[in-house]
Amino acid sequence: MDKFLKLRAIAAPLPMANIDTDMIIPQQHLKTIKRTGLGQFAFSNIRYHDDGSERADFVLNKPAYRQAQILVTGPNFGCGSSREHAPWALKDFGFKCVIAPSFADIFYGNCFKNGILPIILPQETIDLLLDDAGRGANAIITIDLENQEITGPDGGKISFDVDPYRRHCLLNGLDDIGLTLQKKDVIQNYEAKKRLSQPWLFKG
Amino acid sequence: MTEPEQKPKTLYDKLWQSHIVERQDDGNCLIYIDRQIIHEVTSPQAFEGLRQAGRQLANPEAMLAVPDHNVPTGADRATAINAEDSQIQLDALTKNCKEFGVEYIPMLDDRQGIVHIVGPEQGFTQPGMTIVCGDSHTSTHGAFGALAFGIGTSEVEHVMATQTLILKPQKNMRIDVDGRLGAGVTAKDIALAIIGHIGTAGGTGYVIEFTGSAIRDLSMEGRMTLCNMSIEAGARSGLVAPDQKTFDYVMGRTKSPKGAAFEQAVAYWKSLPSDEGALYDKEIFLRAKDIAPQVTWGTSPENVLPISGVVPDPNDVENPERKVAMQRALDYMGLTAGTKLQDISIERVFIGSCTNGRIEDIRAAAAIARGRTVHSDVAAWVVPGSGLVKLQAEEEGLDQILIDAGFEWREPGCSMCLAMNADKLGPRERCASTSNRNFEGRQGPKGRTHLMSPAMAAAAAITGRLTDVREL
Ligand code: SF4
């Protein structure tokens, strides 16, 4: 996984509440066996007309936001289906950070696994960032994960919280599985005890 | 696995604590996962990840695979030319299971069906377990007093390789439903009423335990419907404490413990229910008699009202964001504020899904269909949740009742719940559906979904409009 240290990028405003993962990546695009290539389908139902042409009024179709890497959005982002295709699609589009007042649990966890930083901030702060983001390509926002700080286009600073373990993994580009496999002994110990106390859970 | 503290514990506390392999200093825990179910849509990338890293499965016996999301549900499913990309996913699952040694139930097997119906049916789902699947409705299995939750594909891979997950504890919420449900009111109505009450984010960060006499009175099927929908209230897991009904359901199934092992398991399962005086972070109390048959009118499961209601008016809403969201929902659904819900006509009916594709649901639909005829403007489908549900229904003659009434009786799968294959709504087609999500495009691009119980959906099929099943 790529390391996430500092990100200086354009932020796209999408101030809708309850954006579900069906909306982020509709089911007709789930028939893939790969993690990549989904960016073209991100938000496809609201991004394209029926004939496949772009909707001029959708934020990511505006020239100023085509290179956006930060998404500023509404509460309960990523609710619904657990499909990891949602963060895959966002990542493939180019997003590395999503900022919202709240996230659905499964989506929130899925972001970290893919090198995307989800940041939770109070609605008032989001409103300010939405204002900043509304200024298009002129509004470059900086995310400093090391110092847990966002710097707005006018130099204003906002600090944010993030789980220390997840921060550590992102900063170092660490793969969870590799880390857990180092604990094989502890896991086998647990399993051995369980075989005795709940033998019906195991075959042989 | 033992905990020093002796204060009263909730069911969730017990499940959580008994699965801690290791506590990390930062509050995260390494949690042991007893069972994983996989399907064709969210597993291929996980197998691919293992392969690329040269990793093995930690315990293939803890896994069960069944295709459901993509499988055709027409009578000609064996020969039906599936879309090429669907076929690629089905083939990948077959191949991956073979290569990694995972038990696999093929599409044409009688036991095939929706993951969350197959798990319990096979006895793969048992009380006291941790159960995961790359599917948010894994919450269904919580009906057995198991800690069950949906995970993303990276986590699927993590469980495959390590039999664990790194998690933080959730908060405890109790939703108590007391008293007796009125006639025509079902587990689905309880679920929808709760979501209407607490909202689709109301349960975020919580595990919801459902308690109260109305919950105890539900069958295992009903409890599964309820826990299934807890993710629609934002909670990754729902729970119902195991009791005699649970043990009776589990007993004798293919993968259930047998004989003395079963007795030993039951003794353990009986220790799981929440202790007297255990504390919850949040408690909500509802009365069963206040719950009427529910239908959704918008594009979020929280957009729900009793069938006697009218389409709400965005102008009555203060919060500007909610006003906009409501107007957007009405525009999408093609509805006008003030319209009586019962005056909304429908063209399609879908009875099925992991929410309502079990035998009890088919019985409820057949009871309404018996001696009646589906409205001439309506195409109504019944899609059993598994091959075994289908066989059981056919044994009871339910298929014939439904077919005689004009319903189409199909092969098992997710079908029109998420419209991944040819089973979908056309643009602007309006559907009375027993599934769980009415999101924009969920049942097909621009399709319009009204969620409700199987009895209500069957009633809508007969009259051609949303209908109060109690007045049919
Ligand atoms: S029936 Fe619907 S909700 Fe259930 S697993 Fe299938 S697609 Fe998901």
Side-chain angles (χ1 to χ4, degrees), chain B residues 142-174:
Chain B
F144 290 79
L147 182 59
F149 49 92
I151 56 178
T153 299
S154 296
E155 288 177 309
V156 169
E157 187 181 336
H158 194 280
V159 175
M160 285 176 170
T162 69
Q163 212 58 45
T164 64
L165 280 175
I166 301 159
L167 298 167
K168 268 207 161 69
Q170 307 270 102
K171 286 179 285 184
N172 273 294
M173 184 190 294
R174 176 159 87 105

Side-chain angles (χ1 to χ4, degrees), chain A residues 70-92:
Chain A
I70 302 168
L71 186 67
V72 187
T73 185
N76 201 24
F77 187 79
C79 60
S81 158
S82 61
R83 59 187 70 157
E84 201 161 315
H85 308 67
W88 293 338
L90 294 177
K91 185 182 179 182
D92 199 61

Side-chain angles (χ1 to χ4, degrees), chain A residues 31 50 84 163 190-191, chain B residues 18 32 153-154 168 420 446:
Chain A
K31 297 178 184 178
D50 292 347
E84 201 161 315
D163 176 74
Y190 171 95
E191 213 171 73
Chain B
S18 63
Y32 191 80
T153 299
S154 296
K168 268 207 161 69
M420 262 194 88
K446 296 201 166 64

